[in-house]
Amino acid sequence: MIRPLIVAVAHGLDLLTFAMALTAFGVGGESNGLMRFAYLHAGPAGIVALKSAGATALAFISQLRALALVPAALAGIVGAATNLLAMALA
């Protein structure tokens, strides 16, 4: 049961850094159209719902297939790194 936890932590960091970037740049700084749409129509709860659903699906997949752990966790890590890089460059 450690694989879903790793995925959850990686995507939790992505959500945390997204929230930090959102306060720094506003929703206009978001390059992902789906996330921008969700925020404009459902607010922060929409973002949390989308990111949680994606992380949950990836966590289940990583539990079923061990090889899925790396790409599932990397998706969250890359998202968090991109958010941090954007804030550092601003």
Side-chain angles (χ1 to χ4, degrees), residues 15-90:
L15 180 59
L16 176 67
T17 58
F18 175 82
M20 293 167 45
L22 188 63
T23 59
F25 305 120
V27 73
E30 176 57 46
S31 63
N32 184 336
L34 179 62
M35 290 297 157
R36 189 172 36 244
F37 178 84
Y39 185 81
L40 291 173
H41 294 291
I47 299 297
V48 171
L50 276 177
K51 288 191 177 278
S52 297
T56 301
L58 290 171
F60 282 138
I61 292 168
S62 73
Q63 184 62 24
L64 295 173
R65 301 279 185 228
L67 293 177
L69 173 62
V70 172
L74 261 170
I77 293 167
V78 168
T82 303
N83 293 336
L84 291 173
L85 180 63
M87 288 187 291
L89 293 177

